[in-house]
Amino acid sequence: MMLRISNLREYETAYRKSVEEPENFWSEIAASFTWKKSWNKVVTWNFESPEVKWFEGGQLNITENCLDRHLSTHGDKTAIIWEPNNPSEKGRTLTYRELHEQVCMFSNVLLKNGAKKGDRICIYMPMVPEATIAMLACARIGAIHSVVFAGFSAQSLSDRIQDSDCSMVVTSDGAYRGAKEIPIKEVVDEALRVCPTVQRVIMLERTGANVRIDAERDRLWKEEMGKVDARHEAETMEAEDMLFILYTSGSTGKPKGVVHTCGGYMVYTAYTFQNVFQHRPEDIYWCTADVGWITGHSYIVYGPLLSGATTLMFEGIPTWPDAGRFWQTVDKHQVSVFYTAPTAIRALEAAGLDYVRPYTLNSLRVLGSVGEPINEEAWHWYHEHIGKGNCPIVDTWWQTETGGILISPLAGITPLKPSYATLPLPGIQPLLVDANGKEITGNGVEGNLCIRYPWPSILRTTYGNHERCRTNYFATYPGLYFTGDGCKRDEQGYYRITGRVDDVMNVSGHRIGTAEVEDAINQHPDVVESAVVGYPHAIKGQGIYAYVICTKEHENVDMLREEIKAVVNRVIGPIAKPDKIQIVTGLPKTRSGKIMRRILRKVAEGDVNNLGDTTTLLDPAVVDAIRDGAISG
Ligand code: WTA
């Protein structure tokens, strides 16, 4: 095991060392992995270009560290427990040896189908072990995976495939999600009509749905696996070679492809997994995220497997067949570490304790929260009714761009404070700045959260557009990485993330850009212009409120609203559907034409009597009309 922190003093010592001697600190941690060749430089960086390199000159393959390395010591340990969507379907488990074999075989399948080191391969799959196998096989042959959440529409999928010129797609015929069956392959077929770079599709049969097979392009997972050898020597990768691309929403434009590289990402995800959750070899660890998001990448797949953990993959949803599914699954598999999102906690709290009572939950040792701020009420419910008052909650703050957890308690070590992510992990130097970029020092303060020194899994670029990476994260406050989050630091120096300060919404823990939703709404033929803001939502954290100007008056406004939702569903996917749509005749704009979102946010929040200064508006009367037509409740 690598440098393991086991009490508060050790945390303080580790933290101090990580700031005073970062290179020694990280090289000692990195030394506990299997490298094919050691690095010559621990870190080179500047936040102006930006350019960050960790462990330069080092060579490795992350899958040797996830798989091969464990075979001699615990090859027969369970690596993956798979719990299917339907509780009456039989699940599966894979030992490290079995997972290794499957990954080697699928690596050979990829190669046989023409994939090469450096190629981009899109993975669009449900939560089945094959999604993990496909990711690891890409990493093993040196191909760059780009996993797209299987809830995204054909258009979102094709945008992502085109942006990184993927040569292959790995998918399934269909997917089960609660009571629904989703036609995954159909979405892929539609997306690929406009993706000429894709030469090959490999399809897993999951639901047995009747799908169209393109004899030239498509191959079946099962048949291909039957044709290959079970041995594969992992490709040698440079530490700074790309490991994966993951698309995420920003303030402006289309989602951008965040790039992570092999060496630093490996070191950081394993280090944080082991320390934050205080991992023990006998743990049954369950992160309820989807592999389509960064949480799935770092804390279902890489962090746990690098650590030789048993990681549970769940195909279903928290509320089907009923709202007891999580708790039933915890008891069934004797889960000891459980990591989920506040939105799920709030939904299950709302369902009531009758869904919790039938289960003992006495295997639980650590609880985690991720993806959005956890409100105090949800925190206490989780702590009391799920953790029975004796499981620490690690409220982990981080982002797609950070690769791993940056601010979080260490389970059982850091004294907790509800709704606070508490303290930075070793290696992380946070600071708060005001609107002018001036550092806000001292405690009991609030500002914009930045980080001043790189950590091994900081994003390296946004795929195909480095300038966008620079302007998004490194230009707002020169010399600093800007997170886009607002943050409080309390009297004792604990951090509490208050939410995004840019035009990114966080809906049920999913990041969605207001601009993306506006672009989608504007595709409706009768829409002239739209403006989208987030508003507080009891379960989702934030809901989506859209103000829409139409070309003509509609008699049936409800039907129009449904049509607009359908367009968003088609363009982005169900997660981005507006909760409320207000048809307006004008938007509050300044004389220079800028929409005053502040006012729109206030109205959406229901705070209509407190709109602040509206004198700079081109047409202040617009505000009265918007206020009168506001959708409340
Ligand atoms: C928010 C998810 C408060 C935050 C890992 C961040 C959080 C965005 C927390 C990143 C938390 C994530 N407390 N807010 N514990 N965790 N966030 O890229 O606004 O999907 O910037 O990564 O989620 O979302 P992303």
Side-chain angles (χ1 to χ4, degrees), residues 331-623:
D331 273 7
K332 175 174 172 191
H333 296 291
Q334 292 292 291
V335 171
S336 54
V337 180
F338 179 73
Y339 188 30
T340 196
T343 190
I345 298 167
R346 288 189 297 262
L348 298 178
E349 178 185 356
L353 286 174
D354 286 350
Y355 293 99
V356 183
R357 281 193 201 101
Y359 308 104
T360 72
L361 303 179
N362 58 14
S363 55
L364 289 172
R365 180 174 75 74
V366 174
L367 301 176
S369 172
V370 61
E372 49 175 324
I374 180 165
N375 49 307
E376 282 201 43
E377 192 194 334
W379 195 99
H380 285 292
W381 187 85
Y382 196 28
H383 190 251
E384 188 175 327
H385 296 289
I386 305 306
K388 311 292 181 202
N390 55 31
C391 299
I393 297 179
V394 290
D395 178 1
T396 64
W397 172 80
W398 58 297
Q399 313 177 295
T400 306
E401 295 84 346
T402 70
I405 299 166
L406 299 198
I407 304 183
S408 171
L410 305 179
I413 293 176
T414 315
L416 303 176
K417 178 167 175 179
S419 81
Y420 278 74
T422 75
L423 297 172
L425 299 186
I428 307 306
Q429 301 183 33
L431 70 156
L432 304 183
V433 300
D434 66 18
N436 303 315
K438 194 170 165 305
E439 180 171 1
I440 304 169
T441 53
N443 287 340
V445 292
E446 183 165 3
N448 290 345
L449 179 61
C450 295
I451 318 280
R452 66 166 108 242
Y453 192 89
W455 59 98
S457 66
I458 186 175
L459 87 161
R460 301 303 196 262
T461 189
T462 45
Y463 193 83
N465 192 345
H466 193 62
E467 179 57 12
R468 194 163 174 205
C469 172
R470 192 186 70 79
T471 52
N472 256 294
Y473 308 107
F474 298 93
T476 318
Y477 304 114
L480 301 174
Y481 168 79
F482 175 44
T483 64
D485 280 321
C487 182
K488 282 184 180 154
R489 187 168 51 222
D490 77 359
E491 294 300 338
Q492 66 180 123
Y494 271 20
Y495 290 85
R496 177 194 181 155
I497 313 309
T498 50
R500 303 289 304 196
V501 293
D502 54 9
D503 289 323
V504 173
M505 299 175 289
N506 192 324
V507 181
S508 300
H510 301 317
R511 256 170 87 164
I512 302 173
T514 53
E516 270 174 88
V517 182
E518 289 162 6
D519 287 346
I521 292 174
N522 297 351
Q523 292 190 24
H524 187 287
D526 298 345
V527 170
V528 181
E529 193 181 1
S530 61
V532 164
V533 296
Y535 71 95
H537 186 287
I539 305 287
K540 297 180 179 187
Q542 275 191 310
I544 302 179
Y545 194 120
Y547 299 87
V548 179
I549 304 177
C550 291
T551 48
K552 55 176 192 227
E553 210 164 296
H554 286 77
E555 273 172 23
N556 192 339
V557 176
D558 285 339
M559 199 167 97
L560 175 66
R561 289 199 179 98
E562 288 313 310
E563 282 175 25
I564 291 173
K565 286 184 190 177
V567 172
V568 177
N569 191 41
R570 176 170 57 73
V571 175
I572 306 178
I575 58 173
K577 267 197 285 191
D579 298 273
K580 295 181 182 177
I581 300 175
Q582 182 181 350
I583 310 297
V584 296
T585 50
L587 291 167
K589 289 188 181 172
T590 60
R591 289 190 188 92
S592 57
K594 209 170 161 284
I595 295 176
M596 283 185 84
R597 290 175 182 278
R598 178 178 57 79
I599 293 175
L600 297 178
R601 277 191 214 108
K602 286 273 183 197
V603 173
E605 281 166 22
D607 194 4
V608 291
N609 297 320
N610 217 344
L611 299 182
D613 183 14
T614 55
T615 51
T616 56
L617 288 178
L618 186 61
D619 176 11
V622 162
V623 175

Side-chain angles (χ1 to χ4, degrees), residues 172-176 181-186 189 203-213 220:
S172 69
D173 48 359
Y176 296 119
E181 193 177 323
I182 297 162
I184 298 282
K185 176 61 162 50
E186 234 173 68
D189 287 339
M203 186 191 86
L204 175 79
E205 287 158 291
R206 168 64 187 117
T207 59
N210 192 5
V211 294
R212 198 179 64 85
I213 297 293
L220 298 181

Side-chain angles (χ1 to χ4, degrees), residues 298-357:
S298 302
Y299 298 109
I300 293 177
V301 178
Y302 288 108
L305 296 177
L306 286 164
S307 309
T310 298
T311 178
L312 191 150
M313 283 181 86
F314 174 50
E315 188 187 30
I317 59 171
T319 49
W320 190 83
D322 65 45
R325 186 67 195 279
F326 273 2
W327 321 130
Q328 178 196 32
T329 304
V330 165
D331 273 7
K332 175 174 172 191
H333 296 291
Q334 292 292 291
V335 171
S336 54
V337 180
F338 179 73
Y339 188 30
T340 196
T343 190
I345 298 167
R346 288 189 297 262
L348 298 178
E349 178 185 356
L353 286 174
D354 286 350
Y355 293 99
V356 183
R357 281 193 201 101

